[in-house]
Amino acid sequence: MRVRIVTPLSVVVDQDIDSLRAEDASGSFGILPGHAPFLSALAVSIVSWRKGETEGFCALRGGVLTVSGGDSIAIATREAVIGTDLATLDREVLARFRADIDVERTEHVEGMRLQLNALRHMISRLQPRPDGGEFR
């Protein structure tokens, strides 16, 4: 099989492998040669693969994994870090990825609140409420 891990800026991994393990919201799963076409949204996690006795690891900031005909696996992610020390990847890189996502989630929610309040204000100016009250 061939695996390619890409970010918006680079190809991080492009090599032949024997097997791959990844993780989505429902848990870990494996891919072996001949796997059916497949699509999955990946969690912030570490993907691992084997080629013979050699194992590789890559921390992913989420992403999308596809398996297509011809034993081709493609992973598109916002950020990826290759490593040989699984403990370091787990402890340092995934912690940073998770923290970044928590900040983004908080900023996204706040942005949605601001947009919703702006829409409520626009609606209230177009169709004022009979009691003169404001949207909350």
Side-chain angles (χ1 to χ4, degrees), residues 4 10 16 19 33 38 47 62 99 109 116 118:
R4 288 181 58 120
S10 67
D16 289 322
S19 63
F38 182 70
V47 66
V109 168
L116 185 56

Side-chain angles (χ1 to χ4, degrees), residues 21-96:
R21 187 199 64 80
E23 184 178 335
D24 63 14
S26 63
S28 294
F29 59 91
I31 298 173
L32 296 170
H35 198 288
F38 182 70
L39 173 70
S40 181
L42 298 176
V44 172
S45 60
I46 296 174
V47 66
S48 63
W49 59 89
R50 283 194 164 286
K51 177 65 176 174
E53 296 300 314
T54 306
E55 193 166 22
F57 304 98
C58 185
L60 302 177
R61 188 173 173 184
V64 176
L65 177 143
T66 59
V67 177
S68 57
D71 289 331
S72 177
I73 302 168
I75 297 174
T77 182
R78 291 177 60 190
E79 192 173 355
V81 177
I82 295 286
T84 55
D85 181 10
L86 187 57
T88 300
L89 280 177
D90 187 45
R91 184 178 60 250
E92 296 175 11
V93 178
L94 290 185
R96 180 173 54 88

Side-chain angles (χ1 to χ4, degrees), residues 66-133:
T66 59
V67 177
S68 57
D71 289 331
S72 177
I73 302 168
I75 297 174
T77 182
R78 291 177 60 190
E79 192 173 355
V81 177
I82 295 286
T84 55
D85 181 10
L86 187 57
T88 300
L89 280 177
D90 187 45
R91 184 178 60 250
E92 296 175 11
V93 178
L94 290 185
R96 180 173 54 88
F97 286 175
R98 287 184 184 114
D100 289 348
I101 285 175
D102 288 343
V103 167
E104 288 172 4
R105 193 173 289 136
T106 300
E107 289 172 352
H108 178 73
V109 168
E110 185 58 30
M112 295 298 290
R113 279 192 189 119
L114 291 171
Q115 290 175 12
L116 185 56
N117 284 336
L119 286 171
R120 287 177 174 162
H121 180 72
M122 288 171 39
I123 290 169
S124 71
R125 297 184 114 223
L126 293 173
Q127 298 175 338
R129 290 179 44 184
D131 63 359

